[in-house]
Amino acid sequence: MSATRLLVLGGVRRFGCAHGYEVRRELISWGSDEWAHVNPGSIYHALRQLAKEGLLLAHDVEESDAGPPHTDYEITDAGREEFFRLLRCAISTVDIRHPEMLTAGLAFLAELTRPEAIELLRQRLDGLAARRANVMPLYEAPADPAHLHELLGWWVHSADSAMRWARGLIERLEAGDYVMADER
């Protein structure tokens, strides 16, 4: 899974039709260069690759009074399907190696219906509980070397914190916070 792929598909989807600079400006304004390590080159590469895969349509625009030649992109039906597949996976899946996937998913959380978002977050809670349960026997056993106990403690603490946050977001969604896709 790629945060860049999700962000670029979501960015183009939001605009309807956009050129690379618009998508880049939008994603950088969200700080995605910091939390998802999305740089301008990877955005332009993703746009071209997604067009090559048929997930975006590329329209060459000739130079005009409005500006220099550029390529506009719009999302295809297959691109929308891929966007939602990536979004659902980003919200529901616990992947400690790629925390940027969750942050990219949260950027588009309101593109889901309220019930679906809640269900995906419940799946995430289950994954976090399983992760914690897998680490606990190691945490409770003597560590060799002893300082590795701190690493295991960090994993338990991280799972506990992530579960508290997910429960809180579920509660906020159940209380009606945010305008979701089925409410527009």
Side-chain angles (χ1 to χ4, degrees):
M1 230 178 2
S2 162
T4 301
R5 192 174 174 90
L6 173 58
L7 288 165
V8 170
L9 283 170
V12 172
R13 183 176 177 274
R14 234 183 221 169
F15 279 108
C17 187
H19 57 80
Y21 179 75
E22 289 173 309
V23 174
R24 178 182 147 216
R25 185 182 64 222
E26 181 76 3
L27 297 180
I28 298 299
S29 77
W30 301 352
S32 64
D33 53 331
E34 293 293 324
W35 51 263
H37 312 292
V38 175
N39 60 53
S42 62
I43 293 169
Y44 291 113
H45 174 76
L47 286 165
R48 288 188 300 275
Q49 183 62 35
L50 292 166
K52 186 176 172 182
E53 293 174 25
L55 302 176
L56 296 176
L57 286 176
H59 307 283
D60 289 330
V61 178
E62 293 184 17
E63 185 170 1
S64 69
D65 293 339
H70 61 274
T71 303
D72 282 346
Y73 295 91
E74 66 180 289
I75 196 163
T76 64
D77 289 340
R80 271 186 281 288
E81 287 177 26
E82 177 69 357
F83 166 75
F84 279 108
R85 185 190 72 76
L86 290 170
L87 175 57
R88 290 175 179 117
C89 194
I91 299 297
S92 65
T93 303
V94 176
D95 185 348
I96 62 169
R97 292 166 297 164
H98 299 286
E100 72 279 2
M101 284 307 300
L102 175 61
T103 53
L106 291 173
F108 298 108
L109 180 68
E111 301 303 315
L112 298 167
T113 66
R114 187 174 301 278
E116 184 175 26
I118 291 168
E119 176 55 32
L120 292 170
L121 286 162
R122 287 193 175 123
Q123 290 173 26
R124 181 171 202 83
L125 270 174
D126 291 345
L128 289 164
R131 170 103 178 115
R132 186 184 193 284
N134 287 337
V135 171
M136 280 309 291
L138 300 170
Y139 179 66
E140 291 168 341
D144 184 28
H147 70 275
L148 288 181
H149 189 262
E150 296 302 328
L151 171 62
L152 298 166
W154 168 249
W155 288 343
V156 170
H157 171 77
S158 296
D160 289 343
S161 296
M163 286 189 291
R164 266 192 309 279
W165 169 83
R167 284 188 203 103
L169 179 51
I170 290 169
E171 288 173 11
R172 290 187 291 282
L173 288 169
E174 289 175 337
D177 285 8
Y178 316 117
V179 178
M180 304 301 285
D182 53 336
E183 301 161 349
R184 294 187 202 119

